[in-house]
Amino acid sequence: TIGGYLIQRLLDLGVGHVFGVPGDYVLGFYKALEDSDLAVINTSDEQGAGFAADAYARFHGLGVCCITYCVGGLKVANTTAQAYAEKSPVVVISGAPGIGERQRNPLLHHKVRDFDTQLKVFEQLTEASAVLDNPQTAAREIDQVLATAVRTKRPVYIELPRDMVAKPVIVDPAPSAPEQAGSGADEAVLQAAVAEVVERINAAERPAIIAGVEVQRFRMQRDLMQLVEGSNLPVAATILSKSVVREDHPLYLGVYEGAMGRQEVTDYIEGSDCLILLGVFLSDVNLGIFTAHLDAGRVINATSERLSVGYHTYDQITLADILPALVEAGIAPRTLDAIPHPPTPPACFPVPDKPLTIRYLFERINQFLDDSTAVIADPGDAMFAGIDMTIHCASEFTSSGLLHLTGLCRARVYRRATGPARFTAVGPRWRRRVPNDRHGTGDSRPLWLTPIVVVLNNNGYGTERQMMDGTFNDIPDWRYSELPRVIGAGRSFNVFTEDELEDALLTSRDDTGSFCLIEVHLDPTDSSEALQRLTSTLAKRVR
Amino acid sequence: TIGGYLIQRLLDLGVGHVFGVPGDYVLGFYKALEDSDLAVINTSDEQGAGFAADAYARFHGLGVCCITYCVGGLKVANTTAQAYAEKSPVVVISGAPGIGERQRNPLLHHKVRDFDTQLKVFEQLTEASAVLDNPQTAAREIDQVLATAVRTKRPVYIELPRDMVAKPVIVDPAPSAPEQAGSGADEAVLQAAVAEVVERINAAERPAIIAGVEVQRFRMQRDLMQLVEGSNLPVAATILSKSVVREDHPLYLGVYEGAMGRQEVTDYIEGSDCLILLGVFLSDVNLGIFTAHLDAGRVINATSERLSVGYHTYDQITLADILPALVEAGIAPRTLDAIPHPPTPPACFPVPDKPLTIRYLFERINQFLDDSTAVIADPGDAMFAGIDMTIHCASEFTSSGLLHLTGLCRARVYRRATGPARFTAVGPRWRRRVPNDRHGTGDSRPLWLTPIVVVLNNNGYGTERQMMDGTFNDIPDWRYSELPRVIGAGRSFNVFTEDELEDALLTSRDDTGSFCLIEVHLDPTDSSEALQRLTSTLAKRVR
């Protein structure tokens, strides 16, 4: 069947979990999902499913969210846009009215304007889309759309009318495997490009690499490290790609973010006479809101779309072509003078009753991290202050740096768990309570997740407050530490001082069986140095 | 300035409140809003702003939500779609990157694909849109777009690049007032149409009216009642337009919803030989999922778009033309035999310790309503069971019947308050707490709202459970009654039995100073008769 084929192809591509919320236009497909080897994670809201699928895609290569028509689909417009902007391969599967129901254009529930309104919206936000309204072509369309997600690392959209789920599908006996990025370059062009890049690097006095987020998306960390270690070239990361290189690696410089970053990293990168950008997003927040000073004539810029060397481009050559080719070409290792390196986190000695500051908080969290900790940072100071933390293992710091979703200022320190489900965030499924059991017995059971969530409560939109303040930057004074009572599981801490933070962190670390929420109360005027530099630049654009 | 002109035109159109969440691309306009006579209501999330603006529009004629670019705008795609589908005139105002920042197509934060990506999305979901990038034309574009919202009762989209807010605007010295619906019909056509309609009604044995939601949107309740009372014609409502007629009016039949509704209403309406539909949405949920049997040859159907009489149409004539004309024409009053009428709510006598059922719950709430109560019902059984409640005053039952937003099954009984702000729902602004005040003093103060919120907790998606059940219909077992602890204000009740409900309702009624949340625990298999009829029809389409 069409539904069964779609499920099988997702399994073939290594997907194990689907995030979503059911609705009547997608119920039949949900039943098929439940009967399959895919695990369905019900989130509390479609938006949560969209974000979970995005995180899943970043860590596992492909993510899926499955929702109903319009009332569900349009709630993931925003999360799909984030996946597009930051190159995260999310497959959005939406139910839809049956083809047989669409005769004479009736006004069905959940329909907005025309039957293709939702499709048209997602065409703006995805790299490919298909409406599976034809059993003759459905299998091929599924293959093509999924292949596009795998190849471009962008989201795609599949609409499945509900009367098509169980229709027999015409399957190509041997579907071609999704084309991997970088397999299409002309050998002569590639050789010319490699020769020029190698010559430039060898001729340079102080070459350096900036490794961007596409290295993570296209799973090329191993190639990157072979290049770095084979050539002894120092390497920096960006905000989006922080932790692409293990941050205690001796060749790691730190995060480059223009005037917003540590001065010695900025000086080293901007003083390089041959800068090799590998998969870097040239966006404003990622590169310090236009405070980056990179001389295009001295830049080699390889992305998933093309390669530029100085002022000319090789339109055919992508990051996936050039990076392995450079490893193979073998750049002669050079002897390095001393290079910048992230400072060792300062030791923290909590002072009883001393009110917490952003600076102390992040120094302490930094010290708290170990090889078993993954960090997911929300935008705001959670992300900006978080940039200076030292991540110990590869690819375990994740943030949303480009689309930069507005929310409360908060940081999340996720404990690593086995399996992918740790990224479903704070809405896991609990054991069902017996109806009309007034005592609730407290036996609800988290299935997978025991994250430590650190909420930075600074009473408002701190990033905006420093650009232009007004009552509109105040937010309701909620008690986030009470949320475990609503969820029915987990424990929480209210933290105002350094010693209270100490107690909360250590207790949370020991309590591995429980989701822990640490609400940190901060002065609304406090902020990290990175945020201050950012907002002073942004403020000029607001007025 | 362009920003000032936009604010002034909204004030001219009677808007008093703007709902939204600030962001850096819209901060300058927020400052202008704060300095104006418009009140800005900060919601916790853009989606809340979109829904609040929709509710405001339904009750006040025009609603406004104001958000930042993409990360804010795309979060109201869903709410704007609802406003479109159900004809609610919401003005979406989005900030955007400055025109001066867009040179050489940089990758700015919040940008998804192209600078016009968000515009293209909203073109699918609105009736008119404008990007205010030209001071020469901005005033005229503002006038045109706002006029379209007023005329069509559909949402519109205005994008305001941040460097345009303070630009001087070229103002037409005498902007024309927004054209009201119905002012453009040709007099000869209108006379012909009126003559035919009057003749049909007078020739009929048992004519009847179904008054739809457009009567409310276009503020024509007074015309409707003049027609009804002048002609002595009985009148029914639909799900979406419930309470368009005061429900204790002697000529009121009840809600017509095909086979889903009360049998005597269905018999009366479907037995009529001349049915006058005034502003009715012919959607599936609104008319009983295709269980309505209306013979087109005997129907006069006036909508905001055209008038149909039997099998032919008057394309020029709209509801706003024909309804006042019929009042003026004067239809001879007829003598009526007995007509159906909503039953008097049964008296409720709570039995101690008797577990609550949906049936008892809604009978009791029905009895609880008085002239000071407005009701807002969410989809699911909150809406379907709610249809049988008796609303005492005009236009005070509001639901989302067409787009039918999926959510938890819950009903809200709103206490009426003065002013429009009662519709900002559960996220009002509280007094700001002193930072680092660990005691919190509990002095937070709701500014306007003291709704009574009834949460129907049936442990899952009850509507879907009856169509096709699976673990995907189970939802996390949250303790909604704990939410006031998070919000920091309000009180709550956990209700399992009839006597507990009694206590909760009476205590809530007396405590007029506090938001009250009543969590009603229901058996997951319990549902109203209306929902059972609905789902047995829908289930056939799912499989």
Side-chain angles (χ1 to χ4, degrees), chain A residues 31 34 42 71 107 109-110 113 123 284 403-404 433 438 469 471-472 477 479 486 500 541, chain B residues 31 34 42 71 101 107 109-110 113 123 284 403-404 433 438 469 471-472 477 479 486 500:
Chain A
K31 199 72 185 168
E34 191 177 58
N42 254 3
V71 295
L107 203 51
H109 64 292
H110 297 348
R113 182 181 228 160
E123 283 174 347
D284 61 347
L403 201 56
H404 204 139
R433 226 167 80 205
R438 76 175 60 202
D469 205 6
T471 55
F472 44 78
D477 184 28
R479 278 79 164 151
V486 176
E500 287 171 346
R541 291 167 176 268
Chain B
K31 198 71 187 170
E34 191 177 57
N42 255 4
V71 295
E101 297 172 89
L107 203 51
H109 63 290
H110 296 350
R113 183 180 228 161
E123 282 174 350
D284 60 348
L403 201 55
H404 205 136
R433 226 168 80 207
R438 76 176 60 203
D469 205 6
T471 56
F472 44 79
D477 183 28
R479 278 78 165 153
V486 176
E500 288 171 345

Side-chain angles (χ1 to χ4, degrees), chain A residues 15 23 32 78 96 113 143 177 311 327 354 388 397 399 438 463 471 513:
Chain A
V15 173
N78 187 48
R113 182 181 228 160
D143 289 344
Y311 298 117
V327 171
K354 186 174 176 191
D388 288 334
F397 180 92
S399 65
R438 76 175 60 202
T463 305
T471 55

Side-chain angles (χ1 to χ4, degrees), chain B residues 205-209 232-236 251 253 256 262-275 334-340:
Chain B
E205 295 237 326
R206 221 175 70 184
I209 294 172
N232 221 24
L233 288 173
V235 58
L251 288 166
L253 295 164
Y256 171 68
R262 283 195 302 125
Q263 191 62 43
E264 53 179 358
V265 179
T266 304
D267 290 345
Y268 195 91
I269 289 293
E270 296 183 358
S272 165
D273 58 343
C274 178
L275 204 52
R334 58 176 64 219
T335 311
L336 277 183
D337 293 333
I339 63 167

Side-chain angles (χ1 to χ4, degrees), chain B residues 267-341:
Chain B
D267 290 345
Y268 195 91
I269 289 293
E270 296 183 358
S272 165
D273 58 343
C274 178
L275 204 52
I276 306 131
L277 271 54
L278 301 175
V280 173
F281 275 8
L282 297 173
S283 79
D284 60 348
V285 169
N286 198 29
L287 290 182
I289 312 286
F290 306 118
T291 62
H293 296 289
L294 305 179
D295 178 351
R298 294 187 293 183
V299 166
I300 296 163
N301 184 13
T303 71
S304 62
E305 282 156 21
R306 71 183 61 80
L307 168 70
S308 304
V309 181
Y311 298 116
H312 56 265
T313 62
Y314 295 85
D315 286 333
Q316 273 189 44
I317 307 295
T318 68
L319 176 65
D321 301 312
I322 194 75
L323 182 48
L326 286 176
V327 171
E328 203 178 320
I331 293 166
R334 58 176 64 219
T335 311
L336 277 183
D337 293 333
I339 63 167
H341 200 63

Side-chain angles (χ1 to χ4, degrees), chain B residues 1 43 50 61 89 138 185 197 206 237 251 260 295 402 404 420 436 452 481 494 521 543:
Chain B
T1 62
T43 53
V197 169
R206 221 175 70 184
L251 288 166
M260 280 170 52
D295 178 351
L402 181 55
H404 205 136
N436 283 355
I452 301 170
S481 57
N494 253 307
H521 297 265
R543 290 165 211 277

Side-chain angles (χ1 to χ4, degrees), chain B residues 84-98:
Chain B
Y84 187 92
E86 301 190 356
K87 292 203 178 176
S88 179
V90 172
V91 183
V92 177
I93 301 174
S94 176

Side-chain angles (χ1 to χ4, degrees), chain A residues 45-54 58 65 73-85 88 90 92 122 125 155 403 405, chain B residues 70-71 74-75:
Chain A
D45 171 278
E46 284 85 356
Q47 179 168 266
F51 283 134
D54 182 347
R58 290 174 197 221
C65 86
L74 293 173
K75 278 177 117 173
V76 298
N78 187 48
T79 65
T80 307
Q82 171 179 277
Y84 188 90
S88 180
V90 172
V92 177
F122 277 89
L125 307 174
L403 201 56
L405 295 153
Chain B
C70 286
V71 295
L74 293 172
K75 279 177 114 173

